[in-house]
Amino acid sequence: MSIVNIAAYKFIALENPAAMREPLLTLCQSLELKGTILLSPEGINLFLAGASQCISAFLAHLRADERLADMPVKESLSQEQPFRRMLVKLKKEIITMRMPVIRPAERRAPVVDAATLKRWLDQGYDDAGREVMLLDTRNAFEVDVGTFEGAIDYRLHKFSEFPDVIAAHRTDFAGKTVVSFCTGGIRCEKAVLHMENIGMENTYQLEGGILKYFEEVGGAHYRGDCFVFDYRTALTPGLAPAPTVQCFACRAVVTAEQQQSPDYVPGERCPHCADQSATGRRAAGAVLQTQADPA
């Protein structure tokens, strides 16, 4: 039986997210779902997996709340449960940026849908004739698994670094159209609002992120796979689990090619381990923890 995996978020003002925690946890446990739900005053972010009928029951419950009725959901299938436990966490932000002035619950960022972006990339310019620059807002280890051709990558270690980095490079984008993207849309939505706040023009987020792009147009103009924060590690443009894995010891991403190395012993070590000190391995493990929220 296939497992249905869903990813969804919505920036919406939640006056008392703590009151939602236990009811959601109880519901998910009763439906035998696993994954993570993040709740904060700025909204909800979730990654869940389970049997199809149980996912449907959960979404029906969630959409009975008029605040969440229109929350878009991205789906993929797997043969195994990609999560090991069910968590509902309370957070200050559903994606950490540490910029209180950015309030997506009050105003959505401009978006470009997958089909339009593909058309722009096919023709080499947007509908106004401007050059299109793709901006990857994910962390460096995610980018290394796969990204769009020619995308700008600032080697971020955490998303809260983005405001300073983009401010230092804002003039690079003058006169061009900027499309920021991430796994599911949540980071690039905040990124665009910040870019607008610092005076950048013609900025958009890829609606639904890479996963929605894969779902709607496949892997055109994309190279590699898409890192996901569960035990599948990465998804192909066909939304199937990729052969990429994470090392048990250091949690680094290990490609199919690297798995052929004599330094790769499943459950023990990988080629990255050989290049890292004990301190480095601990640091990598802290960053690349499975089922972590993408900081």
Side-chain angles (χ1 to χ4, degrees), residues 29-284:
Q29 290 173 336
S30 70
L31 294 171
E32 298 184 342
L33 301 180
K34 294 182 180 180
T36 300
I37 299 175
L38 304 180
L39 299 169
S40 90
E42 72 174 5
I44 182 171
N45 187 18
L46 61 87
F47 306 87
L48 295 176
S52 177
Q53 66 272 21
C54 296
I55 290 290
S56 295
F58 171 82
L59 290 175
H61 172 88
L62 207 64
R63 287 171 172 158
D65 184 333
E66 62 181 14
R67 299 171 299 179
L68 305 174
D70 61 348
M71 183 170 67
V73 175
K74 293 170 284 295
E75 292 190 4
S76 61
L77 299 176
S78 63
Q79 292 302 309
E80 298 179 356
Q81 170 60 257
F83 298 106
R84 296 295 180 262
R85 52 185 175 168
M86 183 64 232
L87 301 172
V88 182
K89 299 180 179 180
L90 299 176
K91 306 276 286 185
K92 291 182 179 179
E93 301 176 73
I94 54 173
I95 185 66
T96 303
M97 194 181 203
R98 298 190 178 93
M99 294 288 290
V101 70
I102 304 300
R103 297 172 181 162
E106 297 178 4
R107 180 174 67 89
R108 277 218 70 191
V111 301
V112 59
D113 61 59
T116 299
L117 178 60
K118 179 183 180 299
R119 178 168 56 81
W120 286 357
L121 296 177
D122 286 344
Q123 65 193 24
Y125 49 86
D126 72 359
D127 294 336
R130 289 185 293 263
E131 178 185 350
V132 176
M133 297 185 72
L134 293 168
L135 176 59
D136 201 325
T137 64
R138 298 172 300 159
N139 297 333
F141 71 88
E142 299 170 77
V143 179
D144 290 342
V145 175
T147 190
F148 282 98
E149 297 171 349
I152 295 169
D153 163 29
Y154 288 124
R155 301 278 85 191
L156 301 176
H157 292 96
K158 53 187 177 180
F159 184 58
S160 55
E161 296 173 354
F162 179 81
D164 288 340
V165 170
I166 197 64
H169 293 274
R170 53 176 292 183
T171 57
D172 298 344
F173 302 93
K176 301 170 183 177
T177 289
V178 184
V179 178
S180 70
F181 65 92
C182 58
T183 307
I186 187 169
R187 280 176 280 192
C188 50
E189 181 157 359
K190 276 193 169 182
V192 170
L193 292 175
H194 176 70
M195 288 190 286
E196 288 187 331
N197 275 2
I198 63 174
M200 293 176 62
E201 299 179 341
N202 307 313
T203 58
Y204 300 87
Q205 72 164 123
L206 173 58
E207 188 167 23
I210 299 167
L211 295 181
K212 194 66 175 177
Y213 186 91
F214 283 176
E215 180 182 329
E216 295 190 351
V217 302
H221 303 284
Y222 193 93
R223 291 294 174 265
D225 303 312
C226 180
F227 183 91
V228 290
F229 286 84
D230 60 51
Y231 278 83
R232 293 173 297 176
T233 303
L235 297 180
T236 69
L239 294 176
T244 304
V245 300
Q246 278 187 302
C247 173
F248 179 84
C250 72
R251 306 310 301 158
V253 175
V254 186
T255 66
E257 181 180 0
Q258 290 169 332
Q259 291 170 43
Q260 303 306 309
S261 167
D263 289 324
Y264 179 65
V265 179
E268 293 185 17
R269 66 177 189 270
C270 76
H272 298 283
C273 293
D275 298 330
Q276 296 174 347
S277 66
T279 300
R281 288 195 295 272
R282 286 194 294 270

